Amino acid sequence: MINSYENIILDKEDKIALITINRPQSLNALNGKTINEISSALDELASDREVRVIILTGSGEKSFVAGADIKEFSDFNQEKAEELARNGHNSLFNKIENLSKPVIAAVNGFALGGGLELAMACHIRYASENAKLGLPEVTLGLIPGYGGTQRLPKLVGKGIANEMIFSAKMIPAQKAKEIGLVNEVYPIEELLTKTKELAKIISNNSPMAISKAIFATNLSDTDKGFETEIKYFGELFEMEDKKEGVSAFLEKRKPNF
């Protein structure tokens, strides 16, 4: 265990890193310090050759992240609010989405506002049966500011996204799975185990290919998507992972990436 952070806990084991947001007294709400610490941990893990998959979760069994820490920005003006949102995008949410390693959200309870936006920035989402997900910003006279209006429609479609954002309703985990917001739902006591099982499977595959797949998939709704796929497909033919993967297939053995 690495204890160089105050608001998060960082563990590493068997090619998998676990970041646990540890502010249970505030249901793991995101404040500036927590955002900075997660961002720093991601920088550390991105350059750690032993880590291939990252899991992001919250401490306890009540909350993944219950939202942003409203006390921090309650008196902001327009300029400060735009700066807050832009810094959040650049320092954390976009960083997760564009990280070269897969990030899996283990949503263990409330994922509201910035918490749901954090989960949506991750590449895969597993949730516990008690999880509740929603974007309640309009009840504060605001809109989501950390990517919610952009990522939610891509995951669930514009109509359902509008309903969730306009109504501010929380939805249960099973509903979230039905609409494609989360991949799987498990009992709370099984959530981390199941998430680690997926992470283990992913960690045994080619890290270079997965990195290219992340970048290509992130462009799937742009006019650069197909060309990027073609380019990366070709580039991988010159890399050691492809040579090992094809050799292992032909030799009927497991590849050693």
Side-chain angles (χ1 to χ4, degrees), residues 154 213-226 228-229:
K154 294 174 185 176
I214 289 171
F215 300 146
T217 304
N218 283 349
L219 295 173
S220 63
D221 55 352
T222 75
D223 57 5
K224 298 178 181 178
F226 286 107
T228 300
E229 180 185 278

Side-chain angles (χ1 to χ4, degrees), residues 132-190:
K132 304 282 187 185
L133 303 91
L135 295 172
E137 284 84 353
V138 296
T139 67
L140 301 173
L142 298 170
I143 65 170
Y146 287 144
T149 66
Q150 303 305 298
R151 293 191 176 98
L152 187 59
K154 294 174 185 176
L155 289 167
V156 304
K158 190 174 179 181
I160 294 175
N162 283 341
E163 181 181 352
M164 288 183 64
I165 293 168
F166 300 169
S167 71
K169 291 189 298 186
M170 288 188 294
I171 62 171
Q174 196 58 46
K175 176 68 173 178
K177 181 183 177 184
E178 290 171 7
I179 64 176
L181 184 51
V182 303
N183 297 63
E184 297 290 348
V185 177
Y186 296 105
I188 183 69
E189 62 272 13
E190 296 179 16

Side-chain angles (χ1 to χ4, degrees), residues 104-155:
I104 307 172
V107 181
N108 58 312
F110 291 114
L112 305 176
L116 179 52
E117 290 172 302
L118 185 65
M120 289 192 292
C122 296
H123 304 110
I124 299 168
R125 285 156 294 283
Y126 277 7
S128 58
E129 291 175 340
N130 67 315
K132 304 282 187 185
L133 303 91
L135 295 172
E137 284 84 353
V138 296
T139 67
L140 301 173
L142 298 170
I143 65 170
Y146 287 144
T149 66
Q150 303 305 298
R151 293 191 176 98
L152 187 59
K154 294 174 185 176
L155 289 167

Side-chain angles (χ1 to χ4, degrees), residues 2 12 42-52 101:
I2 298 135
K12 302 178 192 177
L42 291 172
D43 289 340
E44 175 184 335
L45 297 172
S47 61
D48 188 334
R49 294 177 64 87
E50 294 183 1
V51 172
R52 297 202 178 172
K101 300 177 181 183

Side-chain angles (χ1 to χ4, degrees), residues 196-218:
K196 288 179 180 179
E197 287 176 2
L198 174 64
K200 182 65 175 175
I201 293 170
I202 293 172
S203 73
N204 289 327
N205 294 326
S206 162
M208 183 56 67
I210 289 172
S211 173
K212 297 291 189 184
I214 289 171
F215 300 146
T217 304
N218 283 349

Side-chain angles (χ1 to χ4, degrees), residues 26 58 157 198 236:
S26 58
L198 174 64
L236 287 165

Side-chain angles (χ1 to χ4, degrees), residues 3 11 113 115 162 192 205 232 245 255:
N3 295 306
D11 292 299
N162 283 341
L192 262 186
N205 294 326
Y232 288 164

